[in-house]
Amino acid sequence: MAFRLCQLSARLIRHPILLSNVRASSAAHGPPVNQHEGKTGVPTASMPDGLGHAVGLERQELLMKLSGNEDPFEMKVTKIPADNKRTNPITVYCMEPSRMVGCVCEEDALYINWMMIHRGEKRRCECGYWFNGVAYDEGGSSHH
Amino acid sequence: MLRNPFHLVEFSPWPFTAAGGALFLTVGLVSWFHGKGMTLMMIGVLVILLTMLQWWRDVVREGTYQGYHTSWVSMNLRWGMVLFIFSEVCFFFAFFWGFFHSSLVPTVELGCVWPPVGILPLNPFKVPLLNTAVLLGSGVSVTWAHHGLMMGNREEALYGLLLTVALGLYFTVLQWGEYEEASFSVADSVYGSTFFVMTGFHGLHVLIGSVFLIVCTVRCYLHHFSVTHHFGFEAAAWYWHFVDVVWIFLYLCIYWWGS
């Protein structure tokens, strides 16, 4: 009994000591990080700004827009550059092994040519434009 | 990263409980009108209140704590609210149509006059005018709250919201007094029917708007709103302004012209 109690208390004490040891020795050096930076728009404000307490996908969208990406979800039409050719194709990011893409072959076209673009393969629309399927770097995220 | 901006919602029981509650509420209301007690109706009210509480809680969790409300979801919520308020406009438009159908060319049964013979309408320059001032004032205070939010001043937003809620509840109390004072009932000719159905539904909307604003006040107090993302409040403010505008029309048409 006494042995079990000693064992238990030793384990209870050892765990936080080890943990604080690791934390104390592995912390990044440099000035302390201000956790609240950017959470209020002006010094007098008592509420967070847009980025403030935004989390999840909402935050990702805001960060992408702040980093200069105006179309983080690729919802807009991509303009095909004039020098599009086999060696300079449009990059199509695919989360799945293949992705459906619609090509408006010319400005006056009244319909969209749909086709499957496969990861790691270049493909040419019948109008002549080239596309290249590239695996999207998911960064370990899950969901849907 | 998720490559689409839309929120694919989880399974939720609340549409079913809301539908069940609405069924109990409407059937219970009719059964109450027929003198069979309030039990059924109160069950409906309870189910609706519980559904509201939990559905609202879920949406707050999805939007504020899980970050599912991207700019696209927010835009769709805006369109949802716009369409909802438009449907409300249609709802009141129909009742105004009924009112003018009966009042512009009063039938022989009414004495060919409006208000009908024997009806003593309420004086529009007494409590109804005060009600107009109270609701217009609440429209100003809700704008004050909105500016507080946009400036990042939580204290002013809270004061504005509290004042708006207080004015809304004051309006409700005044209308209650008017109903107590009225010399006619919902059964007294088409005047009583249109008057109580229209002002009654407006009063119901004021109550719903007050609940919406109270929820916004609590969420503001709990730091749910940011300077640029506070659509829950904006929807409540749109709804409140809509209720305000309906009252202006009610006051001008029913209380003033109609008396």
Side-chain angles (χ1 to χ4, degrees):
Chain A
M1 186 69 194
F3 173 73
R4 294 289 299 167
L5 272 177
C6 286
Q7 205 181 23
L8 183 70
S9 47
R11 205 181 295 160
L12 278 174
I13 293 165
R14 194 171 55 191
H15 182 73
I17 289 175
L18 279 177
L19 203 65
S20 57
N21 258 344
V22 169
R23 280 187 182 149
S25 57
S26 64
H29 297 288
V33 178
N34 179 5
Q35 302 289 350
H36 298 286
E37 194 178 346
K39 289 194 177 173
T40 53
V42 285
T44 54
S46 49
M47 277 169 52
D49 63 9
L51 193 58
H53 56 25
V55 291
L57 196 59
E58 184 194 357
R59 185 175 193 86
Q60 272 176 323
E61 183 191 12
L62 292 170
L63 290 174
M64 294 280 263
K65 282 185 174 167
L66 276 178
S67 69
N69 185 352
E70 275 303 308
D71 185 23
F73 299 108
E74 295 177 3
M75 302 295 281
K76 289 180 183 162
V77 175
T78 305
K79 183 94 177 156
I80 296 183
D83 59 345
N84 179 283
K85 55 192 173 199
R86 190 171 197 282
T87 50
N88 185 25
I90 291 279
T91 304
V92 178
Y93 291 105
C94 311
M95 288 189 80
E96 307 288 329
S98 58
R99 179 173 172 181
M100 186 174 266
V101 163
C103 178
V104 182
C105 302
E106 40 182 315
E107 274 184 32
D108 300 339
L110 297 177
Y111 58 90
I112 299 171
N113 264 336
W114 296 99
M115 67 196 132
M116 296 304 286
I117 304 293
H118 303 277
R119 259 189 209 161
E121 272 180 34
K122 285 180 184 172
R123 185 153 188 188
R124 176 182 171 276
C125 176
E126 60 185 27
C127 67
Y129 287 133
W130 280 92
F131 300 88
N132 186 21
V134 175
Y136 188 81
D137 180 19
E138 293 181 40
S141 183
S142 55
H143 277 306
H144 307 296
Chain B
M1 180 196 159
L2 195 63
R3 294 303 288 175
N4 79 69
F6 304 110
H7 177 202
L8 306 175
V9 289
E10 308 282 332
F11 292 112
S12 164
W14 311 133
F16 288 103
T17 57
L23 181 70
F24 269 86
L25 187 66
T26 46
V27 175
L29 198 68
V30 172
S31 106
W32 179 42
F33 289 164
H34 284 265
K36 300 197 188 304
M38 294 171 80
T39 314
L40 267 185
M41 186 182 72
M42 292 319 281
I43 293 174
V45 169
L46 185 71
V47 172
I48 291 279
L49 284 178
L50 288 175
T51 304
M52 272 169 66
L53 190 76
Q54 293 171 97
W55 200 335
W56 227 318
R57 177 205 64 189
D58 283 0
V59 174
V60 168
R61 282 177 182 171
E62 289 160 1
T64 306
Y65 293 108
Q66 295 183 291
Y68 280 124
H69 289 183
T70 63
S71 64
W72 286 73
V73 175
S74 190
M75 187 180 67
N76 290 340
L77 289 173
R78 271 160 217 278
W79 275 109
M81 198 63 201
V82 166
L83 290 174
F84 169 64
I85 289 179
F86 179 71
S87 78
E88 295 270 59
V89 169
C90 295
F91 178 83
F92 279 100
F93 187 86
F95 286 121
F96 271 101
W97 191 293
F99 171 75
F100 283 118
H101 175 89
S102 305
S103 62
L104 281 173
V105 189
T107 57
V108 177
E109 291 85 345
L110 301 176
C112 295
V113 287
W114 193 270
V117 174
I119 291 282
L120 293 170
L122 298 164
N123 185 345
F125 297 108
K126 286 187 171 172
V127 176
L129 187 61
L130 174 61
N131 267 338
T132 308
V134 167
L135 268 198
L136 285 180
S138 73
V140 174
S141 63
V142 83
T143 306
W144 174 29
H146 195 192
H147 279 261
L149 284 181
M150 288 189 297
M151 295 302 290
N153 195 330
R154 178 164 160 275
E155 205 171 309
E156 290 207 10
L158 274 174
Y159 286 147
L161 273 164
L162 285 172
L163 182 59
T164 313
V165 170
L167 287 170
L169 295 179
Y170 183 40
F171 174 90
T172 310
V173 171
L174 287 174
Q175 276 297 81
W176 184 272
E178 285 288 90
Y179 277 22
E180 295 274 325
E181 291 267 310
S183 62
F184 49 89
S185 80
V186 71
D188 285 325
S189 87
V190 73
Y191 184 92
S193 308
T194 51
F195 180 89
F196 280 109
V197 166
M198 293 172 83
T199 57
F201 270 121
H202 176 265
L204 186 66
H205 281 74
V206 169
L207 281 177
I208 295 168
S210 301
V211 171
F212 205 166
L213 286 168
I214 288 169
V215 169
C216 286
T217 313
V218 172
R219 293 190 65 198
C220 187
Y221 181 74
L222 295 175
H223 295 274
H224 283 192
F225 296 137
S226 75
V227 170
T228 51
H229 196 161
H230 43 257
F231 178 65
F233 169 84
E234 285 173 326
W238 293 354
Y239 192 77
W240 194 250
H241 285 308
F242 158 74
V243 171
D244 207 351
V245 169
V246 170
W247 173 260
I248 299 295
F249 279 98
L250 283 180
Y251 180 74
L252 291 178
C253 300
I254 295 184
Y255 285 93
W256 194 12
W257 177 82
S259 70

